[in-house]
Amino acid sequence: MVLEADFKNNITFGHLNSEYYGTLNISDVISGNQEIDEHNIWDVAFSTTNTEHNTQNAPDFIDEQLLSTFIIVCTVVYNGAIGTVGCVLNVINILVFSRLGFKDTVNISLLSLAVADFGALLSLIWKAIIRNPYFSNWDEIPFDPLDIQYITAGTPGFCFARISSLITAFVTFERCLCIAMPLQVRRIITPKRTIIIMTSIFVLIFGSVAPMYFFIRFGPKYFPKRNKTLVGLIYSKNGRLVESFSVMFNIFIQIFAVLSVMICTIILVVELKQKSAWRSKTTGTRDSTSNVRDLKVVKMILFISIIFIICFFPSAVNLIAIFILPEYSATGRYNSLFFLIWAVFNAMEATNSSVNIFVYIRMSSKYAEVFRDIFGSEMKIGCLKKNAELKD
């Protein structure tokens, strides 16, 4: 298994200033025969924020200046804006689902999803700030932006995105169980067990990267580009090995979650079609209230899953492409395309974390009712003020 990475022998992070680029073989790292020396696997392999990259063998059809501008627009402008709006919307989701209570397993799962999306978007906001060219190129800054954002924004954001993926997979799986065994599912998946599962997902993902924080610390480090010593990341012995395992585990989680959501979504779509066909044949019968409610929940979860697949499936395919196409990497022949595609996919993931509220309002009558109870008076006051201004 081969993962392209930028490992350095006195690299100066300017335009085409790397003295040495190579290929990281994960098996060699695990055996201790090879080690990456600088700027963290996570950002090199999965982040679009590092716009300073080797373009020596890049395809001619992507202009470097245009690429850098596009990445900044996606990472700083779009992700910063959608992250800010999305954080507000997810706070609303948290308030509404908290008001709905914890007796319904779906409410518990969607509340957890809102918390994970909020964390992912908050990390994006911080990353957008710290990767802003006016900030990152500030000469008086006492730390290296790439190092700081990696451990304070990139890694937490990556974790929250994986948590969102697993929660979405669980929600779709739960709906499939409701179809497969409708009478037993409420005894199998109880609110208490759902809380335990949600907590376990958070613990699992953050636990997978927690060892990194024991092997990585902030400290003074010399940076040739600025010709000065700044606060940066310092790796302890075996730090890169621990980092490699954390990255590989989270890649597996992401691919597993996307495939699970896709399979469960297909099952839900087939079941909805079968129920629609049955209903058209038996138009004289009426569904019970519980059946109508379950059908609405299935449709809502189905829309959430479809949005998730649209936003995350290309990213999962891209992760697989990194391993099967050696030249498609941060330092390979198609590195410009690599950074371009990751900029788009990160923006898509940010969008996924921000739009669920519109599905809830449209497809959940209970959510819409509580939403109106919380914000209805403010909306009415706003409308009255607007009408008064129009009359004046």
Side-chain angles (χ1 to χ4, degrees):
M1 185 178 298
V2 176
L3 171 65
E4 292 286 345
D6 164 12
F7 63 117
K8 175 185 106 165
N9 179 14
N10 297 323
I11 289 180
T12 56
F13 289 96
H15 174 63
L16 295 178
N17 285 336
S18 174
E19 294 180 15
Y20 177 67
Y21 281 86
T23 300
L24 171 66
N25 188 296
I26 293 298
S27 60
D28 287 341
V29 173
I30 293 174
S31 63
N33 297 327
Q34 192 177 27
E35 185 173 343
I36 305 178
D37 207 14
E38 190 68 56
H39 251 101
N40 41 62
I41 301 173
W42 225 303
D43 272 352
V44 171
F46 313 114
S47 174
T48 63
T49 57
N50 184 8
T51 58
E52 297 159 337
H53 54 280
N54 178 27
T55 58
Q56 186 173 5
N57 297 318
D60 295 334
F61 60 86
I62 300 180
D63 180 74
E64 181 186 358
Q65 185 61 41
L66 181 62
L67 173 64
S68 298
T69 303
F70 180 80
I71 291 176
I72 290 174
V73 168
C74 284
T75 304
V76 177
V77 180
Y78 180 82
N79 288 353
I82 198 69
T84 302
V85 174
C87 279
V88 175
L89 297 180
N90 278 291
V91 168
I92 294 175
N93 288 337
I94 293 171
L95 292 174
V96 172
F97 285 119
S98 297
R99 181 77 66 87
L100 284 170
F102 306 107
K103 294 182 179 179
D104 193 327
T105 57
V106 174
N107 291 341
I108 297 171
S109 299
L110 296 183
L111 172 62
S112 303
L113 180 61
V115 172
D117 286 339
F118 176 81
L121 292 171
L122 195 62
S123 300
L124 276 182
I125 295 174
W126 172 231
K127 184 181 287 188
I129 293 173
I130 204 169
R131 292 300 296 145
N132 187 305
Y134 294 103
F135 182 82
S136 60
N137 293 329
W138 183 27
D139 290 335
E140 300 302 321
I141 195 170
F143 56 83
D144 178 62
L146 279 176
D147 277 17
I148 298 299
Q149 72 90 32
Y150 170 65
I151 208 68
T152 62
T155 302
F158 192 81
C159 288
F160 279 117
R162 303 293 78 78
I163 291 171
S164 296
S165 301
L166 285 181
I167 292 175
T168 305
F170 173 78
V171 171
T172 54
F173 175 70
E174 181 189 16
R175 287 301 98 187
C176 287
L177 283 183
C178 290
I179 294 171
M181 47 182 76
L183 300 179
Q184 296 88 358
V185 69
R186 295 188 185 278
R187 294 197 299 268
I188 298 174
I189 302 181
T190 62
K192 182 177 180 180
R193 289 175 180 173
T194 302
I195 293 175
I196 293 175
I197 291 172
M198 293 298 106
T199 304
S200 300
I201 290 174
F202 278 86
V203 172
L204 172 68
I205 299 302
F206 279 108
S208 69
V209 300
M212 289 173 50
Y213 289 85
F214 291 96
F215 289 90
I216 303 175
R217 62 181 176 85
F218 292 123
K221 187 168 67 173
Y222 178 71
F223 291 87
K225 180 182 178 181
R226 298 194 179 192
N227 194 28
K228 63 171 63 173
T229 299
L230 301 170
V231 174
L233 293 182
I234 299 177
Y235 283 74
S236 303
K237 184 180 180 181
N238 297 324
R240 294 296 181 182
L241 177 62
V242 172
E243 184 183 43
S244 299
F245 276 116
S246 296
V247 172
M248 299 305 298
F249 176 77
N250 279 273
I251 291 174
F252 169 78
I253 289 294
Q254 176 65 13
I255 296 174
F256 167 79
V258 171
L259 291 178
S260 298
V261 172
M262 290 180 65
I263 293 171
C264 292
T265 300
I266 292 172
I267 295 173
L268 291 176
V269 169
V270 172
E271 179 63 21
L272 279 177
K273 287 184 176 181
Q274 290 178 349
K275 283 193 173 184
S276 298
W278 176 83
R279 193 175 292 107
S280 64
K281 292 180 180 179
T282 58
T283 53
T285 61
R286 295 185 61 184
D287 288 341
S288 65
T289 303
S290 60
N291 287 340
V292 172
R293 178 189 174 278
D294 288 342
L295 188 61
K296 287 183 178 180
V297 173
V298 169
K299 288 183 178 179
M300 183 179 70
I301 299 303
L302 189 59
F303 269 91
I304 294 173
S305 301
I306 291 173
I307 294 172
F308 172 84
I309 292 171
I310 292 173
C311 294
F312 275 86
F313 178 70
S315 176
V317 174
N318 206 41
L319 287 174
I320 296 174
I322 292 174
F323 297 110
I324 63 177
L325 300 175
E327 292 296 331
Y328 178 68
S329 67
T331 59
R333 170 175 168 76
Y334 302 106
N335 58 352
S336 294
L337 184 62
F338 173 89
F339 284 102
L340 176 68
I341 290 177
W342 270 116
V344 175
F345 289 168
N346 281 358
M348 292 172 65
E349 293 179 8
T351 303
N352 174 78
S353 298
S354 305
V355 299
N356 285 340
I357 187 173
F358 303 108
V359 178
Y360 302 149
I361 292 176
R362 177 68 177 173
M363 308 195 71
S364 174
S365 57
K366 285 188 177 181
Y367 183 98
E369 182 181 351
V370 174
F371 180 87
R372 286 192 296 268
D373 289 342
I374 296 176
F375 303 101
S377 57
E378 288 81 354
M379 291 179 179
K380 290 178 181 178
I381 292 173
C383 291
L384 289 174
K385 287 182 178 179
K386 187 175 182 179
N387 290 335
E389 291 175 358
L390 290 174
K391 290 180 179 179
D392 294 340

